[in-house]
Amino acid sequence: MIRAFVALDLPPAVKATLADLRAGVAGARWTDPADLHLTLRFVGEVPEDRLEEVHLALDEIRAPAFDLTLEGVGQFGQGARSRLLWAGVAASPALAHLQAKVESAVVRAGEPTETRRFTPHVTLARLDRQAHPDRLRRFVEGNALLRAGPMPVDRFVLFESRPGSGRPRYLPLQDYPLLG
Ligand code: ATP
Ligand code: MG
């Protein structure tokens, strides 16, 4: 079985901007800058032949390249249930269009439909239980004006998420170019 997901990689300059945010929140486990990405669709654990079907379906996608801007930060979960800090994404019909195509391709390949609404974000940190609410609030308020980009999005990527002793490693398996 291979654990896979479809995502946008981010340009080095955007990763560097986001990497600069990694401070001041005790209990935050920051995403390694190299691992920063925007998930379009989590595929999950699939047998290798099923992953090949997913690849073939993704390979059929014809969607235009576009520009994307990251905007602001937020958290999933509130108070004691805070679990994740993220960077937000400026509204983008082109991103929604691409995500819908990726979703239908993955379903065409035989995977179940994702029932949760797509909430585009870049995970900045996982939060331990003891992350302090005041520090979280200060982080979110202090970075409300974050802007990174606009960045050109000219491809999307099928990644393997390979479990290890610590954080999983994300390995790019295949790039899919968008139409320039
Ligand atoms: P860990 O699960 O060990 O904390 P991780 O979440 O970074 O690490 P994966 O669970 O393999 O690694 O997830 C890979 C990518 O897919 C991440 O961007 C993650 O946020 C996203 N993802 C994982 N599970 C889901 C899910 N059920 N729905 C939507 N996205 C998911
Ligand atoms: Mg996970």
Side-chain angles (χ1 to χ4, degrees):
M1 300 285 264
I2 295 175
R3 186 178 176 92
F5 64 101
V6 182
L8 302 181
D9 196 3
L10 304 174
V14 170
K15 287 179 173 171
T17 300
L18 298 181
D20 281 345
L21 303 177
R22 298 183 300 162
V25 184
R29 283 174 292 121
W30 299 97
T31 307
D32 195 82
D35 287 342
L36 290 162
H37 64 278
L38 191 164
T39 299
L40 297 173
R41 160 77 202 221
F42 180 66
V43 179
E45 311 262 349
V46 287
E48 223 160 303
D49 56 344
R50 181 61 73 80
L51 191 61
E52 178 65 14
E53 295 298 320
V54 170
H55 157 64
L56 292 172
L58 293 173
D59 207 33
E60 302 268 296
I61 291 177
R62 299 291 174 270
F66 56 96
D67 284 343
L68 193 67
T69 301
L70 302 184
E71 242 178 31
V73 302
Q75 65 185 74
F76 287 148
Q78 288 299 321
R81 291 167 167 267
S82 302
R83 37 180 236 285
L84 199 145
L85 290 173
W86 45 259
V89 180
S92 167
L95 175 65
H97 177 75
L98 175 61
Q99 195 276 333
K101 288 204 158 178
V102 167
E103 170 64 23
S104 60
V106 170
V107 170
R108 216 172 329 117
E111 291 303 304
T113 305
E114 172 64 76
T115 50
R116 295 194 300 177
R117 205 168 67 93
F118 177 53
T119 50
H121 64 275
V122 176
T123 297
L124 298 173
R126 313 296 165 126
L127 300 170
D128 292 339
R129 289 192 179 281
Q130 62 269 30
H132 202 287
D134 285 349
R135 288 300 178 86
L136 292 177
R137 188 160 34 77
R138 220 177 300 164
F139 180 85
V140 171
E141 289 174 4
N143 290 299
L145 299 181
L146 169 80
R147 264 183 92 82
M151 59 179 143
V153 178
D154 57 9
R155 68 204 165 89
F156 61 95
V157 183
L158 177 62
F159 284 96
E160 174 179 0
S161 174
R162 193 175 289 179
S165 47
R167 306 272 328 130
R169 283 196 304 143
Y170 305 143
L171 307 170
L173 298 176
Q174 183 78 47
D175 270 22
Y176 305 91
L178 297 172
L179 303 172

